Amino acid sequence: MKISEFLREKIYLFVFTFLCSLIIFFFLFAIQVTPSIIVIIEFLVWSIVIVVLCVEYGRRYSFYKVLDEH
């Protein structure tokens, strides 16, 4: 499985994370959290998503490679 195919399957995760990021941003902005803290929190949220996707792709890579060979 190509990375582009894998990411296409996970588009819902990107949309969900984007919406959550917007909600978190506006909430933190509304309660007057400093912008640097907002950036750090948003960075952490997206870092977690990227790490989870990398781990999931790594775990499934060998399975899909065997399927592609047949």
Side-chain angles (χ1 to χ4, degrees), residues 57-68:
Y57 182 77
R59 288 178 60 208
R60 292 184 179 189
Y61 179 76
S62 60
F63 174 73
Y64 284 117
K65 187 174 181 180
V66 170
L67 288 180
D68 285 341

Side-chain angles (χ1 to χ4, degrees), residues 12-63:
Y12 70 91
L13 183 64
F14 289 114
V15 171
F16 180 74
T17 305
F18 179 74
L19 292 175
C20 287
S21 291
L22 282 177
I23 292 168
I24 291 169
F25 172 79
F26 287 124
F27 174 74
L28 293 175
F29 186 77
I31 61 172
Q32 299 178 346
V33 175
T34 59
S36 60
I37 299 298
I38 294 174
V39 169
I40 291 170
I41 290 172
E42 293 292 339
F43 177 77
L44 290 174
V45 167
W46 282 100
S47 296
I48 291 169
V49 170
I50 291 170
V51 167
V52 167
L53 286 174
C54 288
V55 169
E56 186 174 352
Y57 182 77
R59 288 178 60 208
R60 292 184 179 189
Y61 179 76
S62 60
F63 174 73

